[in-house]
Amino acid sequence: MNRPLGRAKGPGPTPHSFLFVSPDLEKNLKVGEFITYEAEIDGEPQTILARISERRPVRLYPDPFSSDPAIDPNRVAAIVGYSGKTSELFEITAEVIGCYDEKLRAFINPRVPPRVGTPIALAGNEYLSRVLSRVKAGEVGSATVGWLLSRPRLQVPIAIDVNALVSTHMAIIASTGAGKSYTAGVLIEEMLKANNRAAILVIDPHGEYETLAEIANSNALSGDGYRPGARVHAPGGIKIRVGTLEQGDLRYLLPNVSDRMSYVLGRAYREAENISKKRCSDPNRWTLRELEDAIDRQGENEEDTFDRGSANALLWRLRATIHTGADEIFDDQQQTPLSELFQPGRVTVMRLDQVDERQQQVIVAALLRRVFYARMDNKNEQVAPGSDNYLPYPVFILIEEAHNFAPANADIVTTNILKKVLAEGRKFGVGVGLISQRPGKLDPDVLSQCNTQFLLRIVNPVDQARVRESVESVGRDLLDELPALTKGQAIISGAAVNTPVLCQIRERYVRHGGESQSAVDEWRSYSGEAQTRRRERDTATPRQPSSRRSSLFKED
Amino acid sequence: MSKTREVILGKIVKSNSHTDYVCQVYSLNEFEPAPRPENYALGTFVKIELTDGTSPAYLVGLIYDTVLLNPEFGRLGPRLSSESELTTFSPDYLNERAVLLGITAIGRVKANGEAVLGVPRLAARSDALVREMTREEIVHFHTGSGQLDLSYLPILVRIDNPLAYHLARIVLLRLMDLLPAYRAELDVLEDDLGWQTQIGPLGGLQ
Ligand SMILES: Nc1ncnc2c1ncn2[C@@H]1O[C@H](COP(=O)(O)OP(=O)(O)OP(=O)(O)O)[C@@H](O)[C@H]1O
Ligand SMILES: [Mg+2]
């Protein structure tokens, strides 16, 4: 145990907390910092871990001592006869985490608060490296994403449990620019290391993850004959077969669909399914052409003249919205085999920039549905190798801008399937990671199903409130730190760690693609160019009128 | 700084506690030079001898109050006599008119010259002589350690007297005058007392 920094004073405001008093001469005892003390459990001395949740000064100079900024109040105090070292004294509240059980690799909470006068010490680096997570840095199943923020660089590595992370889902939540995508990149790098070799798909609505392609050439991640892979697909590089779209997807995609049109669409959709079933005993292989024809036939209904108009309106909308072909995302025949989207030891980036938001949502819904049911069937060994849906290993899907796919107070095409995956994905090996800068706009149920959280700086009070209500694993004291965090600092909590930690996320091995653009730099470079051109123009020798005339007859 | 002449103010006639002494000011003809009112003004630093002159050790005190004893009594009595007649015919009676000084002990100076600030461990004797401190002695008392020392200030503001804060302020103003090197630090303290004595009573937030 380290040298004591304080002594226990008595019980704290809650049953798990206690108070201790310290002069904190080295300014170590910040909120979130870990401390330890010894207590006897079943006759054995044990080290108990606790976390500081509050720090309150119990000694303060009178304010007027500081009335002259040029004079140190300690000096004034010395003049009136106080020259002790402990002009600052703190009453510190700490929450007992418990005693680490080496066999269970978890904390058991023996509820032994320290006796009055017990020495309290800063938790040792080595001890913390061992107990903060079930897995140790570098072990199989560990992702070393950074180090404990309150300790010097790399002293206490934060290694999170990848199995827990993917099986019970994850969320990265922070204000814009706080480092979400960067953190996601670090996590992907870690998951692609030889000790994990994850199969990851990134849904990238802003084209921020292109630089992940460099992972394939990074020596930091390869070794022992293993080399991770990375594929980045532009929109259209990953195919969705139109036949896998549900009626609801279509209704959602087409603009301003009236009840009448919706009715016509429903009948046409069933007809297209039947045609597909007759052709290849699979209802989900109809082509866009077959659907169009089916809609057209609905318009020929003699009994109702309205149907013609509705059918025409639908056709017009369908043709304006959904396109199939070589460069399109939707295709009549093909769909990208799942084993191509997901490969152990490889990240696939599905760029969706320049794709309309509703289309993005439908694409994600179709993809999630396909992966989820494919994994279900694969689990039941109903899929043959070689099939498009053959996917014999678990997968992890990272979704950026998650609030667009599970918005609060609205049910959209993606909401249901996302909820289903979050609730049941664990059974079938489909893990989801959600990234959002607007947790306030994210469905609270969805957020609370993500059992590991990376919380970076959050300033907006609405967003803070949503996090407070949906993230149970983090105490108020830590959440209060959210607005004060800086770039790359994260609270990591939940299933993948033994106790919430304040972590400095490490630097990336490969370049980050979401760098903020400097508007001023761009203006300056353009202004430079424009000026050069203007200068060239202004200083050029004017052409002689005679030469212009001569150019009528011959080339200059 | 020219060496100022030492003025004997009077003698200790009573104490109310270990630190609270009463000094009777000598009347006109007892000592030369006779103390004049400016010698025993409020906030004056005084030294109270600790032995009967055999050792240079003394207590340091501060005049915190003045009481005039029976000032009206003479007038109500043989009213027809003028002051000059009284001097001639009943000198004892005149002696009963006295100025009493309340002195609070704030430290001592040991025989070796070392200044010890704060509640003194030794008490003065009855009849001990009380002298006004010179400028040099005041400076030495406060800075003898090489640092400005005012550790009696917290005791001073706690004496049971409505003028306690004013007294502390007078002391600080005096020291600012005597110790220009510490003016800024003293100003911080003086400023606070100034607020508490001048603005606080009128409702200023403190
Ligand atoms: N751990 C870190 N170490 C060093 N730099 C970092 C770290 N985290 C973030 N940054 C820097 O902070 C900037 C913003 O990070 P990032 O692009 O990940 O933010 P974001 O939260 O995804 O923002 P947005 O909401 O705009 O997508 C980047 O320029 C990145 O280089
Ligand atoms: Mg981002």
Side-chain angles (χ1 to χ4, degrees):
Chain A
M1 192 165 134
N2 281 336
R3 180 172 49 85
L5 296 180
R7 293 276 172 169
K9 172 178 169 175
T14 62
H16 306 285
S17 67
F18 67 93
L19 302 175
F20 71 100
V21 173
S22 168
D24 192 19
L25 297 177
E26 284 133 36
K27 304 270 177 291
N28 281 324
L29 303 175
K30 301 166 215 135
V31 169
E33 181 56 283
F34 292 103
I35 51 172
T36 53
Y37 58 90
E38 304 276 315
E40 209 161 275
I41 298 170
D42 303 330
E44 292 279 311
Q46 299 282 1
T47 301
I48 315 273
L49 184 70
R51 190 184 41 245
I52 295 175
S53 60
E54 200 187 334
R55 167 192 160 97
R56 211 170 55 79
V58 285
R59 263 189 195 170
L60 289 174
Y61 287 138
D63 292 350
F65 274 30
S66 305
S67 62
D68 179 350
I71 304 284
D72 179 356
N74 284 306
R75 206 162 141 58
V76 180
I79 288 169
V80 296
Y82 180 81
S83 44
K85 288 191 303 289
T86 49
S87 66
E88 286 183 292
L89 201 57
F90 301 93
E91 182 193 84
I92 293 166
T93 312
E95 310 289 326
V96 179
I97 295 164
C99 166
Y100 189 68
D101 187 308
E102 302 278 354
K103 276 191 227 80
L104 292 176
R105 286 191 163 205
F107 284 99
I108 46 176
N109 194 343
R111 309 270 154 86
V112 238
R115 291 227 300 272
V116 175
T118 302
I120 310 290
L122 211 55
N125 288 345
E126 190 279 328
Y127 170 79
L128 285 177
S129 309
R130 203 154 41 85
V131 305
L132 291 180
S133 164
R134 296 175 62 81
V135 290
K136 289 179 195 52
E139 263 182 11
V140 168
S142 72
T144 311
V145 292
W147 59 90
L148 193 63
L149 182 62
S150 57
R151 302 299 168 94
R153 202 184 150 77
L154 304 174
Q155 288 296 302
V156 179
I158 302 292
I160 63 172
D161 182 348
V162 174
N163 278 321
L165 182 94
V166 297
S167 65
T168 60
H169 318 293
M170 185 263 307
I172 302 179
I173 306 290
S175 297
T176 178
K180 294 181 300 295
S181 313
Y182 195 100
T183 303
V186 168
L187 203 55
I188 291 167
E189 287 174 353
E190 286 295 326
M191 290 172 72
L192 288 180
K193 278 186 177 171
N195 53 345
N196 295 316
R197 310 188 188 201
I200 309 171
L201 174 72
V202 180
I203 309 286
D204 179 16
H206 290 318
E208 286 179 283
Y209 288 82
E210 266 181 292
T211 54
L212 285 183
E214 294 169 16
I215 279 178
N217 308 318
S218 163
N219 289 329
L221 296 171
S222 54
D224 275 350
Y226 167 78
R227 183 169 277 281
R231 295 260 173 96
V232 177
H233 292 283
I238 291 174
K239 298 282 181 200
I240 308 255
R241 198 175 63 215
V242 278
T244 62
L245 294 181
E246 293 189 343
Q247 211 186 124
D249 299 341
L250 294 172
R251 216 181 290 126
Y252 187 76
L253 265 184
L254 307 183
N256 304 320
V257 176
S258 65
D259 288 352
R260 189 75 213 172
M261 281 188 254
S262 184
Y263 169 77
V264 170
L265 179 64
R267 294 180 56 145
Y269 184 88
R270 278 190 295 281
E271 199 183 316
E273 276 187 328
N274 284 334
I275 291 169
S276 170
K277 205 168 177 174
K278 258 183 224 144
R279 191 178 59 243
C280 55
S281 67
D282 179 353
N284 296 329
R285 284 183 179 270
W286 49 265
T287 65
L288 199 54
R289 187 58 208 254
E290 280 165 344
L291 181 66
E292 282 174 11
D293 289 348
I295 293 171
D296 200 36
R297 275 193 295 280
Q298 291 299 315
E300 281 154 18
N301 187 346
E302 292 294 322
E303 287 141 49
D304 199 330
T305 47
F306 287 121
D307 285 351
R308 182 70 260 159
S310 299
N312 284 346
L314 261 181
L315 281 174
W316 186 85
R317 283 168 171 73
L318 195 62
R319 283 171 190 150
T321 315
I322 303 181
H323 307 276
T324 52
D327 297 329
E328 304 294 337
I329 293 173
F330 296 110
D331 197 281
D332 278 327
Q333 313 295 338
Q334 291 178 41
Q335 57 182 358
T336 309
L338 290 179
S339 58
E340 204 171 294
L341 287 179
F342 298 97
Q343 270 286 316
R346 191 168 88 190
V347 57
T348 306
V349 177
M350 182 178 186
R351 277 179 43 193
L352 289 176
D353 42 324
Q354 286 149 33
V355 176
D356 161 80
E357 190 172 292
R358 283 185 170 239
Q359 296 227 9
Q360 289 183 2
Q361 289 157 343
V362 169
I363 291 163
V364 169
L367 204 66
L368 282 176
R369 254 190 335 251
R370 199 177 145 207
V371 171
F372 182 75
Y373 290 108
R375 280 295 297 156
M376 218 164 164
D377 294 347
N378 276 268
K379 261 287 212 237
N380 304 332
E381 288 169 13
Q382 288 174 356
V383 188
S387 147
D388 278 354
N389 286 344
Y390 183 64
L391 192 60
Y393 36 81
V395 298
F396 185 62
I397 306 173
L398 203 54
I399 305 177
E400 269 273 3
E401 307 289 333
H403 48 275
N404 283 343
F405 302 103
N409 311 320
D411 255 337
I412 63 162
V413 274
T414 29
T415 308
N416 271 334
I417 181 64
L418 198 53
K419 284 186 175 169
K420 200 171 181 65
V421 172
L422 287 169
E424 299 173 47
R426 179 192 187 120
K427 286 184 268 178
F428 307 112
V430 184
V432 171
L434 301 180
I435 303 179
S436 173
Q437 73 267 25
R438 287 314 309 270
K441 290 188 175 171
L442 190 60
D443 187 303
D445 291 343
V446 163
L447 184 54
S448 60
Q449 295 257 41
C450 297
N451 287 297
T452 299
Q453 303 87 22
F454 287 71
L455 307 171
L456 295 92
R457 187 168 59 92
I458 301 176
V459 230
N460 182 309
V462 176
D463 292 336
Q464 288 183 28
R466 174 56 46 81
V467 168
R468 253 177 238 284
E469 88 196 41
S470 302
V471 179
E472 300 156 4
S473 59
V474 193
R476 244 205 135 70
D477 52 310
L478 276 185
L479 292 178
D480 285 344
E481 298 289 306
L482 284 177
L485 298 177
T486 62
K487 266 181 201 174
Q489 302 181 340
I491 296 170
I492 305 176
S493 68
V497 283
N498 278 334
T499 185
V501 288
L502 265 168
C503 174
Q504 171 64 52
I505 303 291
R506 69 159 170 78
E507 291 89 33
R508 289 269 292 269
Y509 296 131
V510 302
R511 216 154 39 91
H512 173 47
E515 289 303 339
S516 341
Q517 305 283 319
S518 161
V520 172
D521 282 352
E522 290 189 39
W523 285 332
R524 284 170 52 85
S525 79
Y526 273 93
S527 147
E529 254 174 58
Q531 255 170 15
T532 318
R533 256 182 272 125
R534 203 178 312 125
R535 226 183 357 261
E536 278 166 4
R537 184 198 63 198
D538 292 349
T539 54
T541 10
R543 290 186 183 197
Q544 298 304 315
S546 60
S547 74
R548 200 197 288 160
R549 205 177 299 130
S550 72
S551 67
L552 281 174
F553 299 102
K554 63 169 193 219
E555 299 277 330
D556 264 16
Chain B
M1 203 188 288
S2 69
K3 204 158 175 86
T4 39
R5 257 186 84 190
E6 192 173 75
V7 178
I8 296 179
L9 298 175
K11 62 180 185 202
I12 298 296
V13 292
K14 176 179 163 41
S15 83
N16 298 316
S17 73
H18 182 68
T19 56
D20 188 9
Y21 292 97
V22 179
C23 165
Q24 180 173 355
V25 176
Y26 283 136
S27 55
L28 296 172
N29 35 22
E30 277 173 281
F31 266 97
E32 197 53 45
R36 286 181 293 133
E38 54 268 37
N39 294 124
Y40 50 87
L42 192 70
T44 302
F45 288 100
V46 298
K47 39 184 196 171
I48 307 169
E49 62 177 14
L50 274 174
T51 57
D52 39 1
T54 54
S55 152
Y58 58 84
L59 289 185
V60 175
L62 197 60
I63 297 175
Y64 73 87
D65 208 357
T66 316
V67 177
L68 302 180
L69 198 64
N70 291 336
E72 295 297 311
F73 188 60
R75 302 257 166 85
L76 293 170
R79 170 183 318 212
L80 296 174
S81 328
S82 71
E83 184 137 338
S84 52
E85 283 170 309
L86 272 179
T87 321
T88 319
F89 301 117
S90 40
D92 287 353
Y93 171 69
L94 196 70
N95 279 347
E96 285 182 28
R97 288 209 292 173
V99 179
L100 299 182
L101 304 175
I103 295 177
T104 179
I106 58 172
R108 72 183 162 119
V109 173
K110 293 191 193 167
N112 63 6
E114 187 193 339
V116 184
L117 286 83
V119 176
R121 283 171 50 219
L122 304 178
R125 293 164 305 109
S126 197
D127 288 338
L129 286 186
V130 178
R131 294 175 169 85
E132 185 188 5
M133 272 170 96
T134 63
R135 296 167 71 95
E136 292 76 16
E137 284 167 339
I138 298 171
V139 169
H140 171 76
F141 178 66
H142 288 98
T143 57
S145 63
Q147 277 285 353
L148 176 61
D149 190 348
L150 275 178
S151 40
Y152 58 80
L153 199 65
I155 312 167
L156 202 59
V157 296
R158 285 294 180 92
I159 61 171
D160 187 17
N161 188 304
L163 298 180
Y165 275 65
H166 292 271
L167 183 70
R169 222 181 141 209
I170 291 170
V171 167
L172 289 169
L173 291 169
R174 177 92 197 277
L175 292 176
M176 279 161 85
D177 192 33
L178 290 175
L179 300 165
Y182 295 101
R183 185 173 291 261
E185 287 89 338
L186 289 164
D187 196 41
V188 169
L189 292 165
E190 195 279 323
D191 181 79
D192 183 27
L193 286 172
W195 182 273
Q196 295 199 41
T197 55
Q198 308 310 117
I199 308 298
L202 301 181
L205 184 70
Q206 17 194 339

